[in-house]
Amino acid sequence: MLSKRSSLLLMARSFSWNSWVPRKVNICAWRVFLNHLPTRANLMHRGIQVQNPCCAFCEVHLESTNHCFFSCPKIEILWLKIWDWWKASGSFNPSLEDILKKIVGFSEDKKVSKIFHAVSMIVIWHVWTWRNKIIHAASIEEANSARHEDNFSTVQRLSLLWIFSRAPFRSHSWDSWVRQPYDLGVS
Ligand SMILES: [Zn+2]
């Protein structure tokens, strides 16, 4: 039987860090991977009383890690928009774990795969930031308005800014990034 420390070390090896996103994004994705973020299900699991166990986005299901970052109908829409933007094939259907381990097999081109992985990590960071904005809103109106924000374009904007200030090649223009993010020859 593995000790907790050994199993954490083993898991650490299967997580894929990405040097083209800010540290805070890597750390957030790492905590998602370890299931260490204080989602409502995790708080309850630790014996902490939670007034409302439901997901901040759909307000229906228990807020588990997988639900919050992946299977919530509201978040699923965001992932589908991302995959559509990257022209992923219809059979492309990774799990949250696949995304975090970068075993999605998105492209044979290593740079394109790394950019796509970076975008996926930014989605994860943004979902958590968005969720916190909703649950810490000062009023129901403010929470509802946060729920309806256009998260897809925010992810596009942040990923262009963050990835291309770190990756060692020329940045896309906004126009080419939105049209053909996978084409590194377009600028
Ligand atoms: Zn939900």
Side-chain angles (χ1 to χ4, degrees), residues 18-183:
N18 193 309
S19 58
W20 295 348
V21 295
R23 192 178 146 82
K24 64 181 176 185
V25 174
N26 271 305
I27 290 174
C28 178
W30 162 242
R31 294 183 74 201
V32 170
F33 183 72
L34 295 178
N35 196 16
H36 278 184
L37 279 181
T39 58
R40 287 163 166 170
N42 279 349
L43 290 176
M44 284 160 56
H45 186 69
R46 285 181 220 155
I48 297 167
Q49 249 195 346
V50 173
Q51 271 191 339
N52 174 5
C54 290
C55 161
F57 307 121
C58 67
E59 302 177 275
V60 176
H61 299 280
L62 173 69
E63 189 197 53
S64 65
T65 297
N66 196 66
H67 179 85
C68 178
F69 291 95
F70 199 70
S71 63
C72 173
K74 300 273 170 82
I75 301 305
E76 205 179 8
I77 291 172
L78 178 58
W79 283 115
L80 290 174
K81 282 184 182 174
I82 298 286
W83 298 339
D84 188 50
W85 168 37
W86 279 75
K87 306 273 183 296
S89 76
S91 59
F92 183 71
N93 188 25
S95 66
L96 180 60
E97 197 182 350
D98 294 338
I99 291 169
L100 291 163
K101 286 182 175 176
K102 202 180 157 197
I103 51 171
V104 292
F106 181 76
S107 165
E108 305 221 324
D109 183 310
K110 281 189 178 168
K111 281 184 190 167
V112 173
S113 281
K114 187 167 174 179
I115 296 177
F116 182 71
H117 178 243
V119 169
S120 304
M121 289 177 97
I122 291 168
V123 171
I124 288 166
W125 177 85
H126 182 65
V127 166
W128 189 243
T129 309
W130 183 28
R131 175 262 191 202
N132 288 336
K133 191 173 172 185
I134 295 169
I135 69 164
H136 297 306
S139 62
I140 294 175
E141 291 74 27
E142 200 180 298
N144 281 336
S145 122
R147 267 190 198 98
H148 292 103
E149 278 177 15
D150 180 5
N151 290 286
F152 176 56
S153 63
T154 305
V155 168
Q156 285 182 310
R157 187 174 47 76
L158 288 177
S159 50
L160 178 66
L161 182 72
W162 286 345
I163 296 169
F164 292 95
S165 61
R166 289 169 177 81
F169 38 85
R170 207 150 67 105
S171 174
H172 273 276
S173 63
W174 170 251
D175 194 46
S176 67
W177 180 237
V178 169
R179 270 187 301 114
Q180 291 173 297
Y182 42 80
D183 188 348

